[in-house]
Amino acid sequence: MEANCLNCGNEVSQKYCGHCGQTSSTHRYSLKHFITHDFIHGVWHVDKGILYTLKELFVNPGNSVRGYVLGKRVGYFNFITLILLVLGISGLLGPYTHIKLADLMSESSKKTVSELEAFASHYPKLVLLITIPITSLFSMFWFRKAKFNYAEHLVLNSYKAAVEMIVSLAFTVITIFYTNLKGLLLIYYLGIEVFVFVYTIWFYYQFFSKSGYSKKALLIRSFMVPASIMFLSVVVGIIMGIINHLPH
C-alpha cells in the first residue's frame, strides 16, 4: 500500500523512500524509544555509527576510509561530525587538566624551540586542523598516480586527523589523573608521537594499496608524506625565528 514520505512527500511503496532515503515507517518520539533506539542503536551500534567508525579507523584504517571515499558510506560516522565531537569533548575536559603540552618542555627547550613548534605546543588541535589541507597537498603529490582528487585527499586526511585528535584526547584524560611531568613526557614522546607516526604510514599504506604501487614504493611514499610535513614545519619555524629576531 503506497503512502507519501513524511520527509519529501514522494510516494513510497517500500521500506525506504526512493527519493530521499528516509524510512517509510516513522514513530512518535518517546523516552524509551530515544534511549533504546536513537541513542544506543544510532550512535553505539556495532555495525554503524561512532563505535563502528572508530573500530574501523583503529583496526583497518586505510582500507575502510578508501571504501568510504569510493562510495561505501552507509554505517560510517561523518568525518566532520566526528572531528567536531572530539573537539567538543576536548573543550569540556580542558578545565579539568592542569598540564598543557607546552608544560612538558624544559625552560631551556622553550628558549630554543622554533616559533612554529612553540605555537603548536600551545594549540595542538588547531594546528592539526590547519595542517589537513597542507597534508592533503603532500599526499596528493606523493600518490598522484592513484588519481584521487584534492577533495578526496581532504576527506581521507580528515579521518586520519580525527584519529590523531582522539589519541590527543586520550592524553588529555591521562593528564587529569596523572601529573608527573617526566612520566607524561615519556608517555607523549615515546607513546603518542610514535603511535601517530606509525599510524600515519600504516594509514597511507593501506589506503593506496590498490593504486598500482609496489610494496616498496608504498612504504617510501607513505613515509614521505609525514616527512614532508616535518621538513616544512622546520623550514617555516626557522623563517619565523629569523623574522622575529630581525631588528625593529
Side-chain angles (χ1 to χ4, degrees), residues 12-31:
V12 290
S13 58
Q14 298 180 348
K15 186 175 181 180
Y16 296 98
C17 174
H19 183 259
C20 70
Q22 175 168 288
T23 177
S24 58
S25 175
T26 57
H27 58 274
R28 289 195 62 180
Y29 275 103
S30 67
L31 184 59

Side-chain angles (χ1 to χ4, degrees), residues 109-125:
S109 298
K110 290 179 181 179
K111 293 178 181 179
T112 58
V113 72
S114 71
E115 295 292 328
L116 184 61
E117 289 174 326
F119 179 81
S121 67
H122 282 87
Y123 309 101
K125 293 182 178 63

Side-chain angles (χ1 to χ4, degrees), residues 167-199:
V167 174
S168 177
L169 177 61
F171 181 73
T172 299
V173 173
I174 292 174
T175 62
I176 296 176
F177 303 99
Y178 183 68
T179 57
N180 182 277
L181 288 180
K182 290 184 178 180
L184 289 173
L185 193 66
L186 191 66
I187 292 172
Y188 185 80
Y189 286 105
L190 294 183
I192 306 296
E193 289 283 281
V194 171
F195 172 83
V196 168
F197 187 75
V198 173
Y199 178 87

Side-chain angles (χ1 to χ4, degrees), residues 5-247:
C5 174
L6 296 178
N7 183 56
C8 67
N10 192 56
E11 286 190 356
V12 290
S13 58
Q14 298 180 348
K15 186 175 181 180
Y16 296 98
C17 174
H19 183 259
C20 70
Q22 175 168 288
T23 177
S24 58
S25 175
T26 57
H27 58 274
R28 289 195 62 180
Y29 275 103
S30 67
L31 184 59
K32 178 182 178 181
H33 195 281
F34 174 79
I35 295 174
T36 60
H37 183 274
D38 292 285
F39 183 77
I40 296 177
H41 180 80
V43 178
W44 302 108
H45 197 281
V46 295
D47 293 326
K48 64 178 180 180
I50 297 176
L51 277 188
Y52 176 73
T53 302
L54 292 181
K55 184 198 75 173
E56 289 295 294
L57 287 176
F58 280 95
V59 175
N60 192 32
N63 292 328
S64 60
V65 175
R66 184 181 66 248
Y68 179 89
V69 169
L70 294 177
K72 190 178 179 181
R73 296 169 191 174
V74 174
Y76 285 94
F77 208 65
N78 181 271
F79 61 94
I80 294 177
T81 309
L82 182 59
I83 288 176
L84 291 176
L85 180 62
V86 176
L87 285 174
I89 296 174
S90 298
L92 291 174
L93 294 178
Y96 299 100
T97 177
H98 303 289
I99 297 177
K100 306 297 181 184
L101 184 57
D103 299 330
L104 301 181
M105 293 187 295
S106 63
E107 290 302 320
S108 59
S109 298
K110 290 179 181 179
K111 293 178 181 179
T112 58
V113 72
S114 71
E115 295 292 328
L116 184 61
E117 289 174 326
F119 179 81
S121 67
H122 282 87
Y123 309 101
K125 293 182 178 63
L126 177 60
V127 170
L128 188 58
L129 289 175
I130 294 173
T131 56
I132 290 176
I134 300 173
T135 303
S136 298
L137 288 174
F138 282 119
S139 63
M140 189 174 180
F141 171 78
W142 287 109
F143 291 100
R144 53 192 178 276
K145 191 174 77 172
K147 304 298 183 183
F148 286 99
N149 62 42
Y150 182 64
E152 291 167 332
H153 280 269
L154 284 173
V155 173
L156 73 92
N157 283 294
S158 293
Y159 270 117
K160 184 181 73 67
V163 170
E164 295 175 22
M165 293 174 68
I166 291 169
V167 174
S168 177
L169 177 61
F171 181 73
T172 299
V173 173
I174 292 174
T175 62
I176 296 176
F177 303 99
Y178 183 68
T179 57
N180 182 277
L181 288 180
K182 290 184 178 180
L184 289 173
L185 193 66
L186 191 66
I187 292 172
Y188 185 80
Y189 286 105
L190 294 183
I192 306 296
E193 289 283 281
V194 171
F195 172 83
V196 168
F197 187 75
V198 173
Y199 178 87
T200 297
I201 297 175
W202 180 38
F203 181 93
Y204 290 129
Y205 188 94
Q206 275 197 355
F207 188 96
F208 296 103
S209 61
K210 297 184 183 302
S211 299
Y213 295 100
S214 66
K215 290 183 178 181
K216 181 179 179 180
L218 266 176
L219 188 60
I220 292 174
R221 291 173 184 276
S222 298
F223 171 82
M224 287 307 299
V225 178
S228 298
I229 291 292
M230 291 179 185
F231 178 76
L232 178 64
S233 65
V234 170
V235 172
V236 174
I238 292 173
I239 294 175
M240 291 176 64
I242 293 174
I243 293 175
N244 286 335
H245 285 86
L246 288 175

